[in-house]
Amino acid sequence: MKALLRHLPIYFSLLIASSLFATTISSKSTGGDWGLTSTWNGGVIPGASDDVVINGSVLVGNNACSNLTISYGSSLSNHIGYGRTLSIYGNAVNNGTIFGGGLNIHCYGNITNNGVWSNAGVVLKATGVTTISQASGKYFEATTFTNDGVMDTLRLGSNVTFKKLYFNADYRTGLEIVIATNGYNLTFDSCNVNYPHIYSNDVINFNGSKLGAVQFRGNTSIDGITTVGNGCVSYDNFTVLGTLKHLDGYAISMNFYGLLTNKGSIGGIYLYLNGDLHNEGTYKPSQTYLQSGNSHKFSQTSNKFFEGVFQIKGTDTIILQSDISFSKIWIYGDLNSTPYGGINTNGYKLTLDECSLRGFNFYGSNAINLDKSYLENVHVHNDAELSGNYTIYTVYFDGNVTNKGTIKNLNGYGVVLYVYGKLTNEGTIQDASS
């Protein structure tokens, strides 16, 4: 104990000495040029190891500091017409205004915005985790956020909004930005978002934004009008609350590996579905490809239906989890692979209204309404009950089928209906010309 007491004065001396190096330099309320001694209290120009507090309006050159705080009512900008870079090696807290079309900020620490932030660009330089936060009603605007290939994760510390900016990961290095919403809401309002990996179990609002090669992980929900370019993918469950559409003029695809839930509108894209699908809104992609090589569970709320073109790869099967309606769609099996994929009604009612089906299997002993639909190379298994006015071209009744509608051949063609089980006709079977 006596030895420890003898060393305590040395410990305290070291602490006092180290605190002397943690210098905080504040600008005068009159502001000025960062590079002038007259701008700063004490007449000392801050350097990379100094904490800086901005009071008044300060014009920055190619400068650096440790922690930076901009006071309420104060501002930081560059000289008009000059490109300048400020490197912040600690944390940045903006309570005032950061602006300037030629001002780039390199951030190595955490970022907090309680004011106006609208400079030319922000480069995220940290390795590990950077926490970004902002006050309610504030946003990052008209700037470019990017990394230089060394950053790991940008983690939300509050609800965060980006507005009218470009958010571009440095894809060239293979170290794209990871955004972790961390229980908060993330908003991209009228932005271009390229290459980030987004980990989220929360709501992301992409209102009026365009996405390119964005990867989603977690049980993500998106809202707003979202336009996707190629390379976007969701690896887990994904819910559409707003509108998901493709970039105009392009054939755009998006992959989904978990449960896709549509509570808004999906249209125009080429959708590759490896998991299950639930629809409570408007579902009309250009094409839906069933991809996984096994089964997909489909469900929908009443008075909703699926539209577009469906292509079923290999033996993939749609298994109904509710009554399902398809309207004015084309469903194609893989004509180069047998046996074909198909639909298992699984105890539910299936409605196909004005649809075309080719290379396909029906499974299940349930009611199938085929009104105004066309069937080609289709097998009907089990004890199905068919209704509606439908046209056939090479159809196989492999089970015991009850016809309660009107069956007719494709007009102008000699058509064979193969019946391998019991056919009970409670409707009409006729030639199309009659």
Side-chain angles (χ1 to χ4, degrees), residues 141-296:
E141 183 181 22
T143 184
T144 297
F145 268 73
T146 189
N147 68 326
D148 61 359
V150 298
M151 183 187 151
D152 291 328
T153 300
L154 181 65
R155 180 179 61 193
L156 270 60
S158 69
N159 295 338
V160 171
T161 298
F162 298 99
K163 188 173 183 179
K164 297 179 181 177
L165 55 74
Y166 284 83
F167 196 103
N168 297 325
D170 187 355
Y171 67 92
R172 296 167 298 176
T173 64
L175 297 173
E176 294 87 349
I177 298 174
V178 172
I179 303 175
T181 57
N182 193 35
Y184 296 102
N185 292 337
L186 173 62
T187 299
F188 287 97
D189 185 0
S190 304
C191 298
N192 284 272
V193 184
N194 299 301
Y195 299 104
H197 295 201
I198 299 179
Y199 287 71
S200 177
N201 294 308
D202 310 297
V203 177
I204 305 173
N205 192 325
F206 288 109
N207 188 35
S209 293
K210 298 177 181 178
L211 280 56
V214 177
Q215 297 188 32
F216 295 93
R217 297 181 186 272
N219 298 321
T220 305
S221 297
I222 66 167
D223 206 347
I225 300 174
T226 307
T227 301
V228 294
N230 276 324
C232 294
V233 58
S234 171
Y235 288 101
D236 299 297
N237 297 336
F238 194 87
T239 300
V240 177
L241 301 174
T243 298
L244 180 66
K245 64 189 187 75
H246 71 299
L247 188 63
D248 289 342
Y250 294 87
I252 301 299
S253 63
M254 184 170 179
N255 279 274
F256 297 89
Y257 287 91
L259 168 64
L260 172 60
T261 299
N262 175 41
K263 296 185 178 182
S265 175
I266 301 176
I269 66 174
Y270 290 78
L271 195 153
Y272 288 82
L273 186 69
N274 296 272
D276 302 326
L277 178 60
H278 175 70
N279 182 40
E280 298 180 17
T282 300
Y283 185 90
K284 194 177 181 180
S286 289
Q287 294 196 33
T288 299
Y289 296 89
L290 304 186
Q291 286 287 106
S292 67
N294 47 47
S295 61
H296 307 263

Side-chain angles (χ1 to χ4, degrees), residues 71-132:
S71 302
Y72 292 97
S74 301
S75 66
L76 183 72
S77 63
N78 61 302
H79 289 278
I80 296 175
Y82 293 87
R84 295 291 184 260
T85 298
L86 173 64
S87 296
I88 305 172
Y89 290 101
N91 299 325
V93 178
N94 174 40
N95 298 312
T97 301
I98 298 175
F99 70 99
L103 174 59
N104 288 284
I105 297 178
H106 291 184
C107 291
Y108 290 80
N110 298 327
I111 300 171
T112 301
N113 180 36
N114 301 316
V116 176
W117 195 309
S118 62
N119 64 298
V122 174
V123 180
L124 303 168
K125 304 280 285 188
T127 56
V129 177
T130 293
T131 299
I132 186 167

Side-chain angles (χ1 to χ4, degrees), residues 202-407:
D202 310 297
V203 177
I204 305 173
N205 192 325
F206 288 109
N207 188 35
S209 293
K210 298 177 181 178
L211 280 56
V214 177
Q215 297 188 32
F216 295 93
R217 297 181 186 272
N219 298 321
T220 305
S221 297
I222 66 167
D223 206 347
I225 300 174
T226 307
T227 301
V228 294
N230 276 324
C232 294
V233 58
S234 171
Y235 288 101
D236 299 297
N237 297 336
F238 194 87
T239 300
V240 177
L241 301 174
T243 298
L244 180 66
K245 64 189 187 75
H246 71 299
L247 188 63
D248 289 342
Y250 294 87
I252 301 299
S253 63
M254 184 170 179
N255 279 274
F256 297 89
Y257 287 91
L259 168 64
L260 172 60
T261 299
N262 175 41
K263 296 185 178 182
S265 175
I266 301 176
I269 66 174
Y270 290 78
L271 195 153
Y272 288 82
L273 186 69
N274 296 272
D276 302 326
L277 178 60
H278 175 70
N279 182 40
E280 298 180 17
T282 300
Y283 185 90
K284 194 177 181 180
S286 289
Q287 294 196 33
T288 299
Y289 296 89
L290 304 186
Q291 286 287 106
S292 67
N294 47 47
S295 61
H296 307 263
K297 296 177 181 178
F298 274 39
S299 59
Q300 65 185 185
T301 53
S302 59
N303 300 318
K304 300 299 180 181
F305 45 85
F306 295 101
E307 296 181 87
V309 175
F310 283 74
Q311 291 201 25
I312 300 178
K313 181 179 180 181
T315 60
D316 277 31
T317 300
I318 298 171
I319 301 178
L320 272 56
Q321 303 295 299
S322 69
D323 292 345
I324 292 289
S325 293
F326 293 91
S327 179
K328 300 177 181 178
I329 69 167
W330 293 55
I331 301 181
Y332 290 106
D334 187 349
L335 299 178
N336 295 317
S337 173
T338 56
Y340 304 134
I343 294 179
N344 187 335
T345 55
N346 192 36
Y348 296 98
K349 181 180 179 180
L350 174 62
T351 299
L352 293 147
D353 183 24
E354 297 187 57
C355 299
S356 177
L357 300 94
R358 297 183 179 183
F360 202 72
N361 286 295
F362 285 117
Y363 301 97
S365 301
N366 306 110
I368 303 174
N369 188 329
L370 297 165
D371 197 37
K372 301 178 184 177
S373 291
Y374 171 74
L375 283 63
E376 179 179 331
N377 290 326
V378 170
H379 289 256
V380 182
H381 302 274
N382 309 111
D383 300 334
E385 180 184 288
L386 307 182
S387 63
N389 187 336
Y390 54 101
T391 302
I392 65 169
Y393 185 91
T394 312
V395 170
Y396 303 82
F397 287 174
D398 296 319
N400 298 325
V401 175
T402 299
N403 173 52
K404 291 191 174 184
T406 299
I407 305 175

